[in-house]
Amino acid sequence: MELRQLKYFLKAKELLNFTAAAEALNISQSTLSQQIKQLEDEINIPLFNRIGKRIMLTEAGNLFSEYAAQSVNRANDGLVLMKDLSLLQTGRLFIGVTYALRNLLTKALIIFSERYPNIKINVIFGTTRELIDKLDHTDLDCILTFRNESESSSFNYQTLFSSPMTLVVSKNSMLAKKKSITINEILKVPLALPDSGYSTTYFIKKILESKNIEPNISVEINDIPTLLELVKTNNWNTILTAISVNDPELVTIPITGKNMLREATVISLKEAYQKRSMQEFLAILANILPPQES
């Protein structure tokens, strides 16, 4: 059963004349008659009584017409919906983000929502590991995180900018006025780090392991806001990217040495259809990158 056949049937039902219906549809009468006959053969019941040159709906035709009209109307509604989706008048966008990139995400969301108020947005915060899993199960359209060494051929990776790794200290810390700090100096201070699920922790631990260095980690925690509150007490320090911290009570000190830059990255599924709304969101994101780090 084809949508075209339903449209032909409904026009014939409306005009009760195959010739007039064919003219209205701009097709030949034989084409109309053939398509309606195929429809009747498929459902195995006549839709019209053919009496000479006149046609009349059968009981089945009268009952079937309601469902045929619903099908055609729903299909037309679907076409309108697809047009609205293409014009960003409807739709939903699912974005995953790590805590470090929340400020960048917020700026992009404000601009996007002003431009496309009818697009519904779902934002999921999590560790890189958690978000990658959701992306792989198509629960997210894209994620904003930091690039790891291990990459999957299933994903697209679009680098946004680089941000230096820093030691984050309280503004009251004796270290607060330092312009930079070495790994060896960091060994001397008590550290509170994000737990192992965070890519930043994985990144810094891998660097320390390559140097056979054992850091003084006294606390690991899976909530970054709480972690930063601990640092404000001046009893602990932490290691995060510079863009992760935007608090007047905290100071970020760049860590010297090789490989101390992290790449903020948008990750999406390679084989998945890239929504128009996601394309527009990424374009906005690209225009608001941190100027000092882009």
Side-chain angles (χ1 to χ4, degrees), residues 235-255:
N235 293 320
W236 293 275
N237 309 276
T238 193
I239 300 174
L240 294 171
T241 52
I243 197 171
S244 306
V245 182
N246 183 25
D247 191 312
E249 295 185 48
L250 298 171
V251 176
T252 57
I253 308 169
I255 302 172

Side-chain angles (χ1 to χ4, degrees), residues 45 64 81-82 87 90 94 105 110 135 137 148 152 157 178 198 211 220 240 244 281 294:
I45 194 168
F64 182 72
L81 182 65
M82 292 303 100
L87 296 174
T90 191
F94 296 86
L105 174 77
I110 291 171
L135 180 65
H137 287 83
N148 286 327
S152 170
Y157 298 84
K178 289 182 70 68
Y198 286 82
K211 299 177 181 292
E220 289 194 24
L240 294 171
S244 306
F281 175 78
S294 59

Side-chain angles (χ1 to χ4, degrees), residues 14-258:
E14 175 189 347
L15 300 178
L16 291 178
N17 185 291
F18 281 173
T19 301
E23 289 178 356
L25 293 166
N26 198 29
I27 59 174
S28 66
Q29 181 180 332
S30 61
T31 296
L32 177 72
S33 299
Q34 182 184 32
Q35 291 297 312
I36 290 178
K37 183 65 168 63
Q38 287 180 5
L39 180 60
E40 290 175 322
D41 290 344
E42 183 174 349
I43 62 178
N44 198 31
I45 194 168
L47 298 171
F48 292 100
N49 285 317
R50 295 159 174 83
I51 305 171
K53 293 184 178 181
R54 294 185 302 135
I55 59 171
M56 297 180 63
L57 279 175
T58 63
E59 180 184 25
N62 190 52
L63 291 173
F64 182 72
S65 65
E66 179 181 347
Y67 295 96
Q70 289 178 5
S71 297
V72 171
N73 289 336
R74 291 291 290 172
N76 289 334
D77 289 344
L79 291 174
V80 172
L81 182 65
M82 292 303 100
K83 185 176 180 180
D84 285 348
L85 192 64
S86 178
L87 296 174
L88 299 176
Q89 296 300 313
T90 191
R92 189 177 289 273
L93 189 57
F94 296 86
I95 303 170
V97 62
T98 55
Y99 178 85
L101 297 173
R102 72 198 186 286
N103 293 327
L104 183 67
L105 174 77
T106 300
K107 293 176 183 176
L109 285 180
I110 291 171
I111 297 171
F112 183 88
S113 296
E114 288 174 349
R115 292 184 186 175
Y116 309 109
N118 296 322
I119 303 294
K120 307 299 181 186
I121 303 170
N122 287 67
V123 176
I124 306 296
F125 278 87
T127 66
T128 299
R129 188 181 302 169
E130 293 168 343
L131 297 176
I132 285 287
D133 183 64
K134 289 182 179 295
L135 180 65
D136 198 36
H137 287 83
T138 67
D139 294 328
L140 297 171
D141 295 309
C142 65
I143 64 176
L144 277 65
T145 185
F146 288 100
R147 188 187 293 264
N148 286 327
E149 291 180 3
S150 58
E151 294 186 355
S152 170
S153 59
S154 301
F155 300 136
N156 287 316
Y157 298 84
Q158 178 185 338
T159 299
L160 297 173
F161 61 93
S162 295
S163 183
M165 294 299 299
T166 65
L167 181 71
V168 185
V169 303
S170 165
K171 68 176 182 179
N172 299 318
S173 169
M174 293 175 58
L175 301 172
K177 293 183 179 180
K178 289 182 70 68
K179 299 299 182 184
S180 63
I181 193 166
T182 66
I183 289 290
N184 288 333
E185 288 177 293
I186 290 175
L187 295 178
K188 302 173 184 177
V189 303
L191 292 175
L193 293 183
D195 75 8
S196 57
Y198 286 82
S199 65
T200 295
T201 301
Y202 174 83
F203 178 86
I204 198 67
K205 283 185 175 180
K206 192 153 188 176
I207 289 177
L208 295 175
E209 286 172 6
S210 70
K211 299 177 181 292
N212 294 317
I213 293 174
E214 186 67 31
N216 178 19
I217 303 173
S218 56
V219 176
E220 289 194 24
I221 189 167
N222 69 347
D223 182 71
I224 303 299
T226 302
L227 175 64
L228 295 179
E229 288 301 315
L230 290 179
V231 175
K232 289 179 186 179
T233 67
N234 203 18
N235 293 320
W236 293 275
N237 309 276
T238 193
I239 300 174
L240 294 171
T241 52
I243 197 171
S244 306
V245 182
N246 183 25
D247 191 312
E249 295 185 48
L250 298 171
V251 176
T252 57
I253 308 169
I255 302 172
T256 60
K258 294 182 179 180

